[in-house]
């Protein structure tokens, strides 16, 4: 490995660490704050689930963000280093400032920004489709959250499951 590849690897590991910190807080913040789970079990659960998700479910993200956004160009190590470095820096900054964000948006727009700077072609239709998903997904989550809460309330009222008091 040359120095550029080592730098890319270090930045990629840093970005992974920053994403892990971000999503651990997002996924386990509420259960930890309510005392439903301890610190070490929360961290262990996130570590295992993050690894499983990366191994078994991240291929679509890799295909879209990794090679689908930049048109007809194989990026070199220095370009990849800038992309990952920008994404790592922004994710870490938002974590430190405690600003909620989506790391996939940071990564995709880092790819687009570096591609524009280096004069690479961009598949804007892919970015447009992702933007639509980013707008629609919170509303879908809202509807599913509402429906799941109503369903659980109905089950609790009907059977008194586990001493849960519906609101």
């Amino acid at each position: 490995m040359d120095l550029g590849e080592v730098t890319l690897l270090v930045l990629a590991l840093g970005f992974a660490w920053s994403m892990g910190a971000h999503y651990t807080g997002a996924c386990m913040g509420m259960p930890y704050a309510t005392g439903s789970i301890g610190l070490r079990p929360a961290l262990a659960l996130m570590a295992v689930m993050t690894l499983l998700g990366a191994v078994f479910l991240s291929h679509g993200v890799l295909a879209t963000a990794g090679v689908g956004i930049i048109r007809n160009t194989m990026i070199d190590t220095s370009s990849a280093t800038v992309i990952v470095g920008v994404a790592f820096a922004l994710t870490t900054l938002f974590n430190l400032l405690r600003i909620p964000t989506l790391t996939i948006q940071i990564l995709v727009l880092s790819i687009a920004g570096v591609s524009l700077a280096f004069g690479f072609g961009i598949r804007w239709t892919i970015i447009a489709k992702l933007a639509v998903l980013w707008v629609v997904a919170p509303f879908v989550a809202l509807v599913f959250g509402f429906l799941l809460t109503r369903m659980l309330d109905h089950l609790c009222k009907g059977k008194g499951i586990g001493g849960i008091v519906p609101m």
Side-chain angles (χ1 to χ4, degrees):
M1 286 183 114
D2 66 16
L3 181 60
E5 292 168 333
V6 170
T7 303
L8 177 58
L9 178 62
V10 168
L11 288 173
L13 290 172
F15 184 37
W17 167 80
S18 190
M19 286 188 341
H22 173 78
Y23 286 112
T24 298
C27 295
M28 288 296 173
M30 187 62 66
Y32 176 73
T34 63
S36 301
I37 191 168
L39 179 63
R40 292 193 189 280
L43 293 173
L45 181 62
M46 284 302 298
V48 169
M49 292 302 170
T50 300
L51 180 62
L52 290 173
V55 170
F56 295 110
L57 300 174
S58 66
H59 303 320
V61 174
L62 177 62
T64 300
V67 296
I69 294 172
I70 301 173
R71 182 182 302 143
N72 301 326
T73 304
M74 287 297 296
I75 62 170
D76 58 10
T77 302
S78 62
S79 301
T81 301
V82 174
I83 290 168
V84 173
V86 168
F88 170 42
L90 287 173
T91 302
T92 302
L93 177 66
F94 288 135
N95 285 344
L96 291 172
L97 296 175
R98 294 183 172 96
I99 298 172
T101 188
L102 292 174
T103 57
I104 191 63
Q105 289 175 346
I106 291 172
L107 178 60
V108 166
L109 295 176
S110 295
I111 293 168
V114 171
S115 296
L116 286 172
F118 286 136
F120 301 154
I122 299 173
R123 290 189 178 101
W124 290 106
T125 55
I126 290 177
I127 293 177
K129 288 176 186 176
L130 290 172
V132 168
L133 287 173
W134 295 334
V135 169
V136 171
F139 296 104
V140 172
L142 179 129
V143 169
F144 280 130
F146 176 82
L147 293 174
L148 181 61
T149 300
R150 290 298 183 168
M151 184 180 74
L152 290 174
D153 282 350
H154 179 72
L155 287 173
C156 293
K157 286 177 185 176
K159 299 181 182 179
I161 296 175
I164 299 173
V165 178
M167 299 177 115

